[in-house]
Amino acid sequence: MRCISALGLTLPGVAHHFAEDDDGHRSLAMAHPDGSWARAEALGLGKPVVLQGGPRALFDTLEALRTYQLETGELPVRGARVLIEPDGTTRFAHGDWRATLAPEGGA
């Protein structure tokens, strides 16, 4: 069984790691199988320095989800319409947000 987040639904296959040290230095690393990557670093609650590359802007997608949550008080998956296809593909839609989750073991 997979643990799926709003980020995982929006960008299936993305791997991410967050760390914070005792001095308040925070770092986030993200990677996707399509070659997209992002790294963000900040001190305390300061604005992060972000580097990203590849075909998708991973950090921008994460920020869009966070902004949506701050503006609406919820994540787009709440209240989403869900369509489950015969092959197990699951499609989510809520407003302009869309996500597709391939069946376990699928592409």
Side-chain angles (χ1 to χ4, degrees), residues 10-60:
T10 304
L11 296 171
V14 71
H16 51 87
H17 176 74
F18 175 79
E20 184 172 6
D21 66 21
D22 293 338
D23 294 332
H25 178 260
R26 299 176 296 133
S27 64
L28 170 69
M30 301 168 64
H32 191 273
D34 69 4
S36 299
W37 60 272
R39 179 159 182 88
E41 295 192 20
L43 184 58
L45 298 177
K47 184 174 174 132
V49 174
V50 179
L51 301 172
Q52 57 187 341
R56 301 180 200 217
L58 300 181
F59 190 83
D60 293 353

Side-chain angles (χ1 to χ4, degrees), residues 54-99:
R56 301 180 200 217
L58 300 181
F59 190 83
D60 293 353
T61 301
L62 178 63
E63 279 293 288
L65 286 169
R66 188 179 77 84
T67 298
Y68 183 95
Q69 182 178 17
L70 290 171
E71 289 175 350
T72 66
E74 61 187 29
L75 290 168
V77 70
R78 181 168 186 213
R81 293 183 317 277
V82 179
L83 172 65
I84 302 173
E85 298 179 357
D87 69 354
T89 299
T90 306
R91 299 186 188 282
F92 299 84
H94 187 208
D96 292 337
W97 178 78
R98 303 281 184 274

